[in-house]
Amino acid sequence: MSRDQATPLMQQYRDIKARHQHAILFFRMGDFFETFYEDAETASRVLGLTLTSRNNGAAAEVPLAGVPAKAVNEYVRRLVQQGFRVAICEQVEDPKLAKGIVKREVIETITPGAAFSDDLLDVTRNNFLCAVRLDGTQLGVAAADLSTGEFTLMRGTRADAGAMLGRLSPREVLVIAGDQGSQDALHGLDVLLTEREAWEFDAALAGDALAQQFRVASLEGLGVGAEDRTAVGAAGALLRYLRELQPGGVPHLARPVIERLGGTMPLDEMTRRNLELVESLRGGETEGTLLSVLDRTQTPMGARLLRQWILAPLTEREAIDARLDAVGAFVHDSSARTALREALDGVRDVERLSGKTAAGRATPRDVRALGDSLAQLPAVHAALQRVPPAGLLQALRDGWDDAAAIVAEIARTLVARPPVAIGEGDTIAPGVNSALDDLRAIMSGGKDAIAQLQAAERTRTGIASLKVGYNRVFGYYIEITNANKHLVPDDYQRRQTLTGAERYVTPALKEFEEKVLHATERTEQLERELFEALRAQVASEIARLQGIAATLARLDVIAGLGDVAAREGYVRPEVGDDYALEISAGRHPVVERMMPRDRFIPNDVSLTADARMIILTGPNMAGKSTILRQIGLIALMAQMGCWVPATRARVGIADRVFTRVGASDNLVRGQSTFMVEMSETSAILHTATARSLVLLDEIGRGTSTWDGVSIAWAVSEHLHDRVGCKTVFATHYHELTQLADELVAVRNYNVAVREAGDEVLFLHRLQPGGADRSYGIEVGRLAGLPAPVIARARALLRLLEGEDLAAALARPGSSVRAPTSGAVHPRQPEAAGQLGLFAAEPHPLLRALAAMDVNEMTPMAALTRLADLVGEAKRVSGS
């Protein structure tokens, strides 16, 4: 069809589509949702639908693809999970009453960042939609979870963009169209970017919109100040976008929580990844993460809050102590802890159920689940009363709300197990509405009436086989076999002819049918009205319900952390504003769970202002990386308010924790392993302060040995002299142990091993002093390298430890086998005219090298002497 010759129906479609150009429009037509034109082609390709066409009354045909209305949620889920936006266009009037084309409107647009459906949500994590505004170096972020109503404004710097958004893990981010700065700041985040007009981020317009949304005279009523203008601008764009997606409004959006610099610790991507806080390095799953160890929550909102706590450690001592004290109350009272966790076990997702109710999207079953969950509050409160009001618990007890009136009203109005949709079974409880009870009596009495009518007609006609039946096409009917047709009374009206019988209706039967059908329709209508009234009544209490959900979530997390601490033998850390980090018998919380308790070897660590850098050496597989991660996890656990795996821990609050552990590359960004390593190290050196904790593993190993040693040495000096932070540097560069002689606050430690012939036993115990061997060949043997390879490696190692391998290869009659034909050795025998370092008669330069005692030289003296020898070599060779 020519788009200039659209029928009224297609013109309606085009008008609606013009207002939702960036979404796939699902257009309701009876029992189906149809897509047309380009949307149909996309839906057909992505969903595997059959692409058909229809002329809709015109000459040309329109491409279309449709899905059943009953299955629409599954198709929407598949589209949204692949990054598409879907606009749902519903019929908003009864087709029977419509004059002309049925009125249709888009009731919501579903995007990856804005969804209510359980099919599109992970119960254990928030589904944040964010907006970002960058003003010079100042960053403003607004974040909302449409499913829960959470709304947060955050301030930071451009450098914090990755850490701030990485913590939220948004599914969608709004940015100013054409603002390359904002997009660069978000580079590397796997998220859908949605561009919006610049004026939508205007702080003044945003202030008016926020004041109107939350019914305050000015933003001061929300605790927002002039210094928050970047975050306010982002919030304005976010609010406008949400109103577009939800034409019915967002009444459940909670008053914004303002987060400013300093209250929580930003965690960059490499720290979150290297410490495996919430996602495993093995592919994004939670198994093997800190979250998997600490998550003993009983409710979905508790699980989401725990994730937030892990990703946002606190930096204020009072707030940390308030959490630690609350956890301690449940550690010390196992019976109260058990009672609370059992009471919470029956609580559903109050946060999201409340949000759906306030947004008018809750089904009868959802509202009943909300009521049943709230009915658990007295049991939760009784368990809470059994522990002392320590830390956070005091505020939770003081603000307790059991929502008794809401619980009573839901229980009074709804049946115990209502259906998902009105009309699929009884929704409203008996006794709520007398008119509804009368209609149900008519409907329930229908079977008796049918039996009476059938008996009367059999008597009247003398036809013993006469029966009364019903189907959706013809309604109620009387069926008489052909053998008895001569007995049919004159008032019978034939409706349908079958092979061996005829079906009739009578005036009395039609009257009965009309009465029953009217009762069915009226029952459904009345139930819908009563349910929607209940839902609106509950929705009016959304602020209370959100407060209750927040209280339950906090109690769930605190009790869960108390359970972990009690069962795993954790201790309460001493948290202070001083510098020191001292851990006695510390354990890795994840690794120790993967082995018998007595198999894990605990270790002590002490970092103070006078001994703030540890150079950690030791063989491969000895456990250096585990110790590094263990230190970082214990520090973060303490600052999130969790007890820690140790016998004692004293933690000076850190403003940041940085890690550079393990090798990785980024082929998508075109970066090698070494480039990624250097980029991450650079970020640490530019961002760390004296209050930071820095954990480095194998810096410099991705390049040549001497380049690597030089970089590692310089990095260590910078962190020691210029930054002054607490640092643990694990390395195989044993040359770095000489730093302890050069820098006053450096200490050497190694991870102990025991040798037994050619066998090596890894003790995994930290001890003072540096290591002088890496035992790489033993690791190769354990990994299953062939025995001839291991034997050859040992022979070469003995030569390398006693003399230069290349010299041995070059010497006539050497017992060391030379490389096979075609192999390239890094040091081939010198060509004529080249410096003869490996000639039969030692060159004076070679004698000079042999005379050097590097163990007695400082690094600077060694570099100076090396420069002299290089100069002499160039002079001799004429280069």
Side-chain angles (χ1 to χ4, degrees):
M1 168 181 25
S2 167
R3 297 199 181 191
D4 294 326
Q5 300 176 337
T7 63
L9 176 65
M10 292 311 298
Q11 185 60 49
Q12 182 190 52
Y13 168 84
R14 289 172 58 183
D15 291 343
I16 296 172
K17 177 63 180 177
R19 299 192 293 273
H20 299 85
Q21 297 181 25
H22 301 296
I24 295 176
L25 184 64
F26 272 38
F27 192 75
R28 182 68 178 262
M29 295 180 66
D31 293 332
F32 283 81
F33 280 99
E34 301 287 358
T35 59
F36 299 99
Y37 299 114
E38 293 85 355
D39 287 353
E41 294 170 357
T42 300
S44 173
R45 182 181 69 255
V46 175
L47 301 175
L49 303 176
T50 301
L51 184 66
T52 60
S53 60
R54 180 182 299 170
N55 61 26
N56 288 296
E61 295 188 334
V62 176
L64 65 88
V67 300
K70 289 186 176 181
V72 68
N73 288 340
E74 170 62 17
Y75 292 104
V76 170
R77 180 189 65 80
R78 289 165 57 188
L79 286 170
V80 172
Q81 286 185 340
Q82 296 190 55
F84 293 97
R85 300 175 179 83
V86 181
I88 305 297
C89 182
E90 272 284 7
Q91 298 174 169
V92 294
E93 67 175 334
D94 189 338
K96 298 176 182 177
L97 305 176
K99 298 179 180 179
I101 299 297
V102 176
K103 186 178 180 181
R104 294 177 173 86
E105 293 178 358
V106 170
I107 60 169
E108 70 171 324
T109 301
I110 305 167
T111 78
F116 280 106
S117 173
D118 293 339
D119 295 334
L120 292 168
L121 300 170
D122 182 342
V123 297
T124 65
R125 60 192 301 174
N126 286 95
N127 194 70
F128 281 117
L129 168 67
C130 290
V132 171
R133 184 187 176 205
L134 193 62
D135 185 3
T137 61
Q138 296 302 305
L139 177 71
V141 175
D145 184 339
L146 189 64
S147 68
T148 65
E150 292 171 80
F151 190 25
T152 304
L153 306 188
M154 305 168 68
R155 282 177 48 209
T157 65
R158 178 185 178 127
D160 294 328
M164 291 168 66
L165 290 169
R167 161 192 160 190
L168 298 170
S169 297
R171 295 289 307 280
E172 184 177 1
V173 177
L174 310 183
V175 295
I176 296 175
D179 181 6
Q180 193 60 44
S182 295
Q183 298 190 24
D184 289 345
L186 303 178
H187 184 67
L189 289 176
D190 183 16
V191 65
L192 173 67
L193 290 183
T194 299
E195 294 190 337
R196 305 288 290 181
E197 295 299 322
W199 65 266
E200 297 181 31
F201 292 78
D202 180 78
L205 293 175
D208 293 341
L210 289 171
Q212 179 184 16
Q213 171 74 22
F214 298 107
R215 300 178 183 177
V216 294
S218 70
L219 293 187
E220 292 179 357
L222 298 175
V224 177
E227 69 278 9
D228 302 315
R229 61 188 310 274
T230 53
V232 169
L238 181 62
L239 186 57
R240 181 179 181 84
Y241 185 62
L242 285 174
R243 287 172 172 170
E244 286 183 10
L245 300 180
Q246 301 291 324
V250 281
H252 65 300
L253 199 64
R255 286 194 169 203
V257 175
I258 316 297
E259 288 191 14
R260 301 181 176 90
L261 292 172
T264 58
M265 179 195 300
L267 294 174
D268 56 37
E269 178 192 3
M270 58 183 171
T271 299
R272 297 192 306 270
R273 182 186 70 233
N274 291 333
L275 295 183
E276 298 184 281
L277 297 179
V278 297
E279 291 184 354
S280 168
L281 287 171
R282 294 174 294 279
E285 59 192 23
T286 59
E287 184 178 356
T289 65
L290 179 64
L291 177 63
S292 69
V293 171
L294 299 183
D295 190 0
R296 303 283 178 89
T297 57
Q298 303 287 80
T299 69
M301 55 271 191
R304 292 193 294 271
L305 183 63
L306 175 62
R307 183 186 180 91
Q308 292 179 27
W309 280 19
I310 291 175
L311 292 176
L314 303 174
T315 55
E316 296 176 353
R317 183 173 56 81
E318 293 78 6
I320 297 171
D321 282 337
R323 289 184 183 177
L324 291 172
D325 291 344
V327 171
F330 285 107
V331 172
H332 300 309
D333 192 332
S334 61
S335 62
R337 183 177 73 242
T338 300
L340 178 65
R341 287 167 52 76
E342 288 178 351
L344 288 172
D345 192 31
V347 175
R348 300 276 298 279
D349 199 337
V350 173
E351 198 170 31
R352 283 183 171 162
L353 289 171
S354 299
K356 290 172 72 173
T357 301
R361 300 185 179 281
T363 67
R365 189 170 295 173
D366 289 335
V367 175
R368 182 69 203 211
L370 176 60
D372 291 344
S373 297
L374 296 176
Q376 293 290 109
L377 288 171
V380 175
H381 189 230
L384 177 59
Q385 293 291 98
R386 293 168 58 177
V387 295
L392 283 182
L393 300 182
Q394 180 66 63
L396 297 181
R397 284 172 61 165
D398 291 345
W400 189 261
D401 180 358
D402 60 8
I406 300 175
V407 173
E409 186 62 17
I410 293 175
R412 183 189 73 83
T413 305
L414 298 180
V415 298
R417 294 185 177 180
V420 172
I422 301 291
E424 296 180 356
D426 289 351
T427 296
I428 305 300
V432 172
N433 183 278
S434 58
L436 179 62
D437 292 341
D438 292 343
L439 291 169
R440 284 175 174 165
I442 293 173
M443 294 170 61
S444 62
K447 291 183 179 180
D448 293 338
I450 289 293
Q452 293 174 7
L453 178 64
Q454 180 174 280
E457 290 300 313
R458 282 179 176 178
T459 301
R460 183 163 76 98
T461 61
I463 304 173
S465 61
L466 179 151
K467 64 180 181 179
V468 178
Y470 173 83
N471 66 33
R472 291 178 177 270
V473 178
F474 294 103
Y476 287 95
Y477 57 82
I478 296 173
E479 184 174 299
I480 295 176
T481 60
N482 289 337
N484 294 308
K485 282 198 302 184
H486 63 287
L487 299 176
V488 173
D490 293 338
D491 62 338
Y492 274 38
Q493 302 170 21
R494 190 168 62 184
R495 277 289 179 86
Q496 184 182 17
T497 299
L498 303 178
T499 301
E502 298 282 347
R503 288 178 175 174
Y504 303 87
V505 295
T506 66
L509 188 59
K510 286 196 290 185
E511 181 181 352
F512 170 79
E513 180 182 59
E514 184 176 346
K515 183 178 180 181
V516 171
L517 293 180
H518 172 76
T520 302
E521 292 177 1
R522 180 58 184 149
T523 296
E524 183 174 330
Q525 179 184 354
L526 194 52
E527 281 208 315
R528 179 170 285 105
E529 291 172 359
L530 292 169
F531 171 70
E532 289 178 353
L534 172 67
R535 187 169 64 186
Q537 182 179 349
V538 175
S540 67
E541 303 285 354
I542 182 60
R544 285 180 64 194
L545 294 173
Q546 288 173 332
I548 291 169
T551 296
L552 291 173
R554 290 187 180 94
L555 280 175
D556 193 12
V557 172
I558 291 168
L561 293 178
D563 194 59
V564 175
R567 294 178 183 275
E568 304 297 333
Y570 291 178
V571 298
R572 188 193 193 283
E574 304 167 29
V575 177
D577 295 319
D578 57 338
Y579 186 91
L581 174 62
E582 298 176 347
I583 302 169
S584 299
R587 313 186 304 274
H588 192 296
V590 180
V591 175
E592 74 164 347
R593 289 277 298 276
M594 298 178 178
M595 59 177 64
R597 176 64 56 82
D598 58 353
R599 292 284 304 278
F600 189 90
I601 307 299
N603 279 294
D604 300 343
V605 173
S606 177
L607 291 166
T608 64
D610 296 332
R612 59 181 176 270
M613 177 176 285
I614 291 177
I615 300 298
L616 179 59
T617 52
N620 295 293
M621 285 187 61
K624 298 189 302 298
S625 296
T626 298
I627 291 173
L628 246 65
R629 291 186 171 99
Q630 171 180 311
I631 295 168
L633 288 172
I634 288 175
L636 290 180
M637 289 171 67
Q639 289 191 221
M640 67 168 277
C642 178
W643 288 30
V644 299
T647 58
R648 178 180 175 273
R650 179 179 166 213
V651 179
I653 296 173
D655 61 352
R656 296 288 293 265
V657 172
F658 296 99
T659 65
R660 163 91 267 293
V661 182
S664 63
D665 54 21
N666 195 322
L667 300 180
V668 174
R669 299 187 206 173
Q671 295 179 342
S672 67
T673 298
F674 184 64
M675 184 61 183
V676 171
E677 179 182 305
M678 290 297 97
S679 297
E680 293 179 350
T681 304
S682 173
I684 293 173
L685 298 183
H686 282 96
T687 311
T689 73
R691 303 290 302 177
S692 301
L693 172 62
V694 176
L695 307 170
L696 302 174
D697 187 17
E698 305 291 357
I699 296 297
R701 67 178 171 182
T703 185
S704 67
T705 300
W706 293 114
D707 279 357
V709 170
S710 301
I711 291 171
W713 190 290
V715 167
S716 300
E717 285 184 336
H718 183 90
L719 291 172
H720 179 280
D721 296 338
R722 295 179 178 273
V723 179
C725 58
K726 296 183 284 286
T727 305
V728 183
F729 193 153
T731 182
H732 283 290
Y733 293 143
H734 300 145
E735 294 83 356
L736 294 187
T737 58
Q738 298 175 48
L739 281 166
D741 300 325
E742 301 289 324
L743 305 176
V744 296
V746 173
R747 301 291 183 270
N748 287 323
Y749 279 82
N750 71 88
V751 186
V753 298
R754 180 181 299 162
E755 295 185 60
D758 288 337
E759 301 290 323
V760 174
L761 176 64
F762 299 105
L763 303 180
H764 305 294
R765 187 173 300 283
L766 201 60
Q767 63 186 16
D772 57 2
R773 293 186 60 187
S774 292
Y775 299 95
I777 294 175
E778 291 308 311
V779 175
R781 182 184 63 80
L782 292 174
L785 289 181
V789 173
I790 296 298
R792 174 67 172 160
R794 283 176 174 154
L796 293 174
L797 178 62
R798 285 192 291 270
L799 283 167
L800 285 169
E801 289 177 336
E803 60 177 317
D804 190 282
L805 176 61
L809 286 170
R811 188 168 56 249
S814 170
S815 61
V816 181
R817 182 163 50 85
T820 57
S821 176
V824 178
H825 193 276
R827 288 181 178 174
Q828 296 290 352
E830 67 278 8
Q834 288 185 323
L835 185 64
L837 283 178
F838 307 112
E841 293 297 328
H843 192 279
L845 285 176
L846 186 57
R847 289 196 296 271
L849 284 170
M852 290 174 58
D853 186 354
V854 294
N855 292 324
E856 297 297 326
M857 301 175 70
T858 67
M860 185 57 67
L863 290 172
T864 301
R865 182 60 177 143
L866 181 60
D868 293 339
L869 292 173
V870 170
E872 179 65 15
K874 290 182 177 178
R875 185 187 63 77
V876 172
S877 63
S879 61

